[in-house]
Amino acid sequence: MQRTRDPLVQLVRGGVDLIELGQPFFTGMPCSPNHPGFRMTLARRHGDMVRPDGGSAANEIIVTGGHVGTHIDALSHVSHDGLLHGGVDAMAAQRGGAFTAHGAEHLPGFLRRGLLLDIARLRDTDTLPGGYEVTVDDLARAAQQAGVEPEAGDVVLIRTGWARLFDTPTAYSGGQSGVPGVGVEAARWLAGRGIAATGADTTAYERIAPGAGHSVLPVHRVLLVESGIYILEHLNLEALAAQELFEFAFMLAPLRIVGGTGSPVRPLAAVTR
């Protein structure tokens, strides 16, 4: 009996290109001041131990926070007035050193429609200025410019151009200049469309006002706590923007870190050849 082939398998067999949407992980890379940084070093080097047949192996030790480099926030990451998404008591859920609700092991894998809303392109610049607030009007016009419309279940990625500064940690972190990002009303606009996740090419997704640091993050409250929408940070959307790929298949598989608040990730855009 001949089996009916899944159309998705047929599509993949026809040839698919994968585009990196994340940053590489390396010691000294930019990191939010709220989180421990990424460190990697070789724990064993070739020649430290040689097998009788002449073989040798090297390995490394990695120390990192869960919100360092390209990563996704679990719903346990932010609370408001003591409550996580769905009214879960945050203090009770975190007893024992790991979350018993909304932990990173519950983060979903993603194979969804992805959309690029290129706000830097909309504003005719390579990089938005520090502290720029992405508004509802920006999102709506960028969607119209791209010929797309955010819908339920989509993953919406916001380009500010800030990834161009990733190799300059001081500039990337914003400092006194602030960092561009989505404002509260724009976040509510996205949430109102029922999207599954959203991300940006900055350290905190949302706007950081000049000189404000990362002390108040109201957009995280709107998305994670109020809406149950996952947040991706430290993306690199330059390749998508250069190819003007505004609609694509978005792929992501978080690590299942039991009781964690986030996970390092390697997001990919898949497009047919």
Side-chain angles (χ1 to χ4, degrees), residues 59-153:
N59 57 39
E60 65 279 298
I61 183 169
I62 296 172
V63 179
T64 185
H67 299 266
V68 178
T70 306
H71 67 275
I72 187 170
D73 294 345
L75 298 182
S76 57
H77 179 44
V78 170
S79 66
H80 188 68
D81 291 336
L83 300 177
L84 301 173
H85 176 66
V88 175
D89 185 302
M91 296 291 285
Q94 69 187 4
R95 290 184 187 134
F99 277 90
T100 57
H102 294 322
E105 74 273 26
H106 300 299
L107 285 164
F110 287 88
L111 179 55
R112 304 236 180 184
R113 184 176 79 138
L115 300 179
L116 173 67
L117 300 186
D118 194 341
I119 311 304
R121 179 175 182 261
L122 177 73
R123 293 297 180 185
D124 195 27
T125 184
D126 290 332
T127 306
L128 293 175
Y132 180 90
E133 179 176 339
V134 175
T135 66
V136 171
D137 182 64
D138 285 330
L139 295 180
R141 289 175 57 202
Q144 183 179 38
Q145 186 180 67
V148 298
E149 184 67 30
E151 298 175 357

Side-chain angles (χ1 to χ4, degrees), residues 80-266:
H80 188 68
D81 291 336
L83 300 177
L84 301 173
H85 176 66
V88 175
D89 185 302
M91 296 291 285
Q94 69 187 4
R95 290 184 187 134
F99 277 90
T100 57
H102 294 322
E105 74 273 26
H106 300 299
L107 285 164
F110 287 88
L111 179 55
R112 304 236 180 184
R113 184 176 79 138
L115 300 179
L116 173 67
L117 300 186
D118 194 341
I119 311 304
R121 179 175 182 261
L122 177 73
R123 293 297 180 185
D124 195 27
T125 184
D126 290 332
T127 306
L128 293 175
Y132 180 90
E133 179 176 339
V134 175
T135 66
V136 171
D137 182 64
D138 285 330
L139 295 180
R141 289 175 57 202
Q144 183 179 38
Q145 186 180 67
V148 298
E149 184 67 30
E151 298 175 357
D154 287 345
V155 176
V156 179
L157 308 183
I158 312 297
R159 177 177 176 262
T160 70
W162 212 246
R164 290 169 171 262
L165 305 178
F166 192 77
D167 292 331
T168 312
T170 301
Y172 184 80
S173 65
Q176 293 304 306
S177 74
V179 181
V182 170
V184 168
E185 293 308 313
R188 294 194 189 282
W189 185 87
L190 289 169
R193 277 145 184 78
I195 65 171
T198 181
D201 51 2
T202 62
T203 183
Y205 179 80
E206 61 188 276
R207 173 187 183 252
I208 304 299
H214 291 205
S215 58
V216 180
L217 299 173
V219 168
H220 278 62
R221 181 193 73 242
V222 169
L223 295 175
L224 293 173
V225 182
E226 296 178 8
S227 308
I229 294 172
Y230 304 103
I231 299 174
L232 290 146
E233 293 162 332
H234 296 287
L235 295 172
N236 186 347
L237 305 175
E238 296 304 295
L240 281 182
Q243 297 179 56
E244 298 186 0
L245 293 173
F246 303 112
E247 184 179 38
F248 46 89
F250 177 84
M251 300 166 49
L252 179 73
L255 301 177
R256 300 183 67 192
I257 302 172
V258 175
T261 65
S263 168
V265 292
R266 186 184 181 184

Side-chain angles (χ1 to χ4, degrees), residues 26-48:
F26 57 91
T27 300
M29 68 184 183
C31 174
S32 164
N34 293 332
H35 302 288
F38 178 90
R39 298 289 183 273
M40 191 284 286
T41 191
L42 294 177
R44 174 180 286 179
R45 299 170 185 270
H46 290 290
D48 288 349

